[in-house]
Amino acid sequence: IMHGHLVVTYLGLVGRVWEFSKSVSRVMLLTDPNFNIAGIVQRSRETGIVSGSLLGKATMRYLALDSDIAKGDIVLTLGLSENYPKGIIIGEVVSIIREENGISVSVIIKPKVRLSNLEEVLVIK
């Protein structure tokens, strides 16, 4: 196990390994404000950066104003690097927000994995 490896369950993304030793690993959850990963909307193929938020959800930012995104859309990992495979479910779009600057749209994502009661996870090496 190494720093940065993704942590998943059969339902989808949990987070990434933050610290590790021979017997213990600490995981940064996808809802942590320091967590960032490239995401893609499964239906429309729109892409953006998914970041954690303090309210137990995640936000996908930097989407064009005319993005084809709707409530209920599924967001997956984009897979821009070897450490971050493509197609892992992140969660479902629950709301769409026009940014104050007027040049982009953000969406709020409810994680597919219920992070509050995990028992077993898998680390993708």
Side-chain angles (χ1 to χ4, degrees):
I1 296 175
M2 292 183 59
H3 176 77
H5 282 162
L6 290 187
V7 179
V8 299
T9 71
Y10 69 94
L11 290 173
L13 184 64
V14 171
R16 79 167 58 95
V17 173
W18 182 250
E19 294 177 347
F20 63 95
S21 68
K22 287 184 178 181
S23 60
V24 176
S25 292
R26 297 178 100 190
V27 175
M28 178 186 296
L29 298 176
L30 73 94
T31 54
D32 187 301
N34 295 309
F35 182 89
N36 292 293
I37 195 166
I40 185 168
V41 177
Q42 186 176 38
R43 178 184 58 81
S44 65
R45 313 313 284 174
E46 302 283 353
T47 61
I49 302 297
V50 177
S51 304
S53 71
L54 293 174
L55 302 174
K57 296 195 173 25
T59 303
M60 186 173 185
R61 293 185 164 85
Y62 310 116
L63 298 157
L65 281 176
D66 61 351
S67 293
D68 179 12
I69 298 178
K71 288 181 184 176
D73 279 346
I74 300 298
V75 178
L76 310 170
T77 57
L78 182 55
L80 291 180
S81 79
E82 207 174 278
N83 285 345
Y84 304 139
K86 184 176 185 176
I88 298 171
I89 295 174
I90 297 172
E92 178 181 330
V93 174
V94 293
S95 63
I96 301 165
I97 302 164
R98 286 197 178 271
E99 295 294 335
E100 291 179 18
N101 59 22
I103 60 172
S104 65
V105 172
S106 293
V107 297
I108 304 299
I109 301 167
K110 179 182 177 188
K112 185 70 171 170
V113 176
R114 191 166 172 208
L115 300 171
S116 61
N117 62 349
L118 291 172
E119 290 188 27
E120 294 183 0
V121 297
L122 175 72
V123 177
I124 299 176
K125 292 174 109 180

